[in-house]
Amino acid sequence: MRPYELIKAKRDGKRLAPEDIRAFIEAYTSGAVPDYQMSALCMAVFFRGLDAVELGAWARAMLESGEVVDLSDTPGVKVDKHSTGGVGDKVSLSLAPLAAACGVPVPMISGRGLGHTGGTVDKLESIPGFRMDVPVSEYRRLVREVGCCLISQTASIAPADKKLYALRDVTATVDCIPLIASSIMSKKLAEGIDALVLDVKVGSGAFMKKVEDARTLARTMIGIGAEMGRKVTALLTDMDQPLGRAVGNALEVVEAVEMLRGRAPEDYTEVTLALTAEMLVLGRKAASIDEARQKLARAIQDGSAVRKLKEIVQAQGGDPRAIDDYGLLPRARSTVDVLASQGGFVTAIDTEAVGMAAVVLGAGRQRVDSIIDPAVGFTLLRKVGEPVKAGEPLVRIHFNEEGPVKEVKERLLAAYHFGPQAPAPRPLVVERLE
């Protein structure tokens, strides 16, 4: 089947044969199918979906488009975590060293920002010298010797997904369950893991706005994992407001380090601990969630989690002094506060709007080739349920260029909603699936 015929068939709601899916993805990976035809197929999938047979073929073709890493020489159960993306979601930055400090080997292939959401790669690259482009041989050594390695996709690991990930970001095909599930699982299964914890975000700042959609995505990925012989657990977590108070790459690094010192916002801390505890259970370093939580608390209290982060940073070429001296991280030249237009309680925050404001400011990408400014971002001075008076600061903008600030202020102010009473608190962990 020619690319045109495949696109047309899916556009018209027909089932695609597994061999045609494989051939199309192989051709796209090699460059024989251009971006515009893959964009068209992705849009057809967005509207028509993929059934279980098609999805299995799509995910396997993505996985087998490159190298599948063998980590059998690393003892223990290798466990990773993946988030479907949110605003202020810097969980991986603290979770990976925390799990490794408790003895779980953590091989982690991370992505860049996608749409309105931030990316772990961009955040870690704001640490001076930190290298995410580690070759596979070095990645294997660091997982074995350090207990953790965080890298971006290499040319050899799921190259089809690497190309498609960037394309989806700029063609409005990010929030599509089959494409999300196959993208995540192809990367994760290629990195040499034995088990996986999924953080499926749900709410105004997530790609899945509704619990039922988040649940469907989680079950889809759990099913792909089961088919490939991997144990997968998923937590649906709240993204109806930014996680923590920092939004922006270097700002989020600081908050992640503070979490490892026991000084981070409560919501970010709790979500991180909940996900990391699942990793310890899957990694057989704890018999129960309660035991896992106790081990995590000790790793924070005795400083071993921060020490492990420094070890990871140094092993990957970064400056470990930046973990203690935040002045070594990129810092914006100026700040300005967004002031509340009225008094009362913050009743809601349009979190996707906050994420897009960060993109406009330069903390995320508007195009595939956009250059991110690691220093810029926001500090949320008020969150949902907190009181504010008219004229008091809501958000502090950290910026280098004056140009976008006026638009960013307008976007942030429009994202905040107020009322006379504080809303009932939402659960941070909405549901657990396995």
Side-chain angles (χ1 to χ4, degrees):
M1 185 178 287
R2 296 180 181 275
Y4 171 85
E5 294 172 312
L6 200 77
I7 295 164
K8 184 174 183 291
K10 179 47 63 178
R11 182 201 70 184
D12 294 342
K14 297 178 181 177
R15 171 187 278 188
L16 306 182
E19 58 270 23
D20 289 332
I21 292 172
R22 174 179 289 278
F24 190 97
I25 289 176
E26 286 177 351
Y28 173 65
T29 306
S30 70
V33 166
D35 280 350
Y36 60 81
Q37 285 189 309
M38 179 55 91
S39 298
L41 181 59
C42 286
M43 190 59 76
V45 170
F46 183 94
F47 285 110
R48 293 295 192 171
L50 296 173
D51 66 20
V53 173
E54 291 173 309
L55 179 60
W58 189 290
R60 191 174 289 278
M62 301 272 279
L63 169 66
E64 295 176 353
S65 67
E67 178 180 3
V68 178
V69 180
D70 180 6
L71 293 178
S72 58
D73 60 345
T74 298
V77 180
K78 279 71 73 176
V79 188
D80 190 12
K81 168 258 162 194
H82 183 84
S83 168
T84 56
V87 179
D89 179 12
K90 71 284 294 179
V91 167
S92 290
L93 279 64
S94 46
L95 168 145
L98 191 52
C102 293
V104 177
V106 183
M108 184 176 285
I109 296 177
S110 300
R112 297 192 180 276
L114 193 61
H116 66 279
T117 68
T120 299
V121 172
D122 302 316
K123 294 165 191 176
L124 285 171
E125 285 183 344
S126 67
I127 299 173
F130 196 96
R131 290 182 54 236
M132 299 289 290
D133 57 341
V134 174
V136 171
S137 58
E138 184 73 356
Y139 165 78
R140 293 176 70 242
R141 183 184 71 81
L142 291 178
V143 173
R144 183 174 65 251
E145 296 180 4
V146 178
C148 178
C149 186
L150 303 103
I151 63 170
S152 55
Q153 276 182 272
T154 68
S156 63
I157 294 177
D161 178 68
K162 187 173 184 179
K163 286 186 70 175
L164 188 54
Y165 193 87
L167 188 67
R168 287 168 54 220
D169 189 17
V170 293
T171 56
T173 52
V174 169
D175 48 342
C176 172
I177 286 177
L179 297 181
I180 293 172
S182 58
S183 171
I184 293 169
M185 298 306 290
S186 65
K187 285 195 294 285
K188 294 303 175 184
L189 296 176
E191 68 188 11
I193 58 169
D194 301 307
L196 177 65
V197 176
L198 295 169
D199 180 8
V200 182
K201 301 293 187 187
V202 59
S204 68
F207 294 120
M208 302 294 106
K209 310 296 185 189
K210 299 177 181 177
V211 171
E212 53 266 34
D213 293 334
R215 188 182 295 121
T216 298
L217 174 59
R219 286 178 173 158
T220 301
M221 291 189 286
I222 289 170
I224 293 173
E227 184 178 329
M228 306 289 189
R230 305 298 195 280
K231 174 73 172 176
V232 181
T233 299
L235 299 185
L236 309 189
T237 68
D238 180 62
M239 186 41 66
D240 237 13
Q241 63 174 330
L243 192 62
R245 293 189 182 268
V247 177
N249 298 291
L251 294 170
E252 293 188 43
V253 169
V254 173
E255 192 164 83
V257 178
E258 288 293 288
M259 187 268 153
L260 296 179
R261 293 192 165 108
R263 302 195 298 242
E266 184 178 346
D267 59 340
Y268 166 46
T269 298
E270 175 55 30
V271 169
T272 303
L273 292 176
L275 290 161
T276 316
E278 296 284 351
M279 293 178 70
L280 265 60
V281 172
L282 285 176
R284 299 174 189 160
K285 295 299 178 181
S288 66
I289 294 297
D290 286 344
E291 182 186 344
R293 297 286 291 241
Q294 292 169 12
K295 289 191 172 186
L296 296 174
R298 284 198 296 272
I300 293 171
Q301 290 163 5
D302 66 18
S304 59
V306 170
R307 289 195 297 274
K308 180 59 71 174
L309 176 59
K310 290 179 183 178
E311 185 182 359
I312 294 166
V313 169
Q314 184 158 20
Q316 295 191 223
D319 187 348
R321 297 176 304 164
I323 304 305
D324 292 320
D325 182 0
Y326 301 145
L328 296 175
L329 297 170
R331 181 175 293 180
R333 288 193 294 268
S334 304
T335 62
V336 64
D337 289 347
V338 178
L339 306 180
S341 58
Q342 64 187 87
F345 289 88
V346 178
T347 56
I349 300 174
D350 183 341
T351 311
E352 183 172 346
V354 174
M356 288 311 302
V359 171
V360 171
L361 189 64
R365 291 177 182 79
Q366 299 191 57
R367 304 185 326 184
V368 170
D369 58 353
S370 294
I371 297 174
I372 280 181
D373 185 341
V376 303
F378 314 132
T379 302
L380 304 181
L381 304 175
R382 293 290 188 277
K383 293 188 66 176
V384 172
E386 296 178 348
V388 64
K389 296 178 182 177
E392 285 187 336
L394 287 174
V395 182
R396 181 159 296 143
I397 302 173
H398 302 253
F399 67 97
N400 282 322
E401 302 296 332
E402 185 77 39
V405 171
K406 182 175 183 294
E407 178 184 349
V408 168
K409 290 175 76 172
E410 291 171 351
R411 285 174 176 264
L412 289 172
L413 193 56
Y416 270 76
H417 301 272
F418 306 93
Q421 293 182 326
R426 291 167 56 94
L428 291 170
V429 177
V430 180
E431 193 171 319
R432 181 182 182 274
L433 299 165
E434 64 176 349

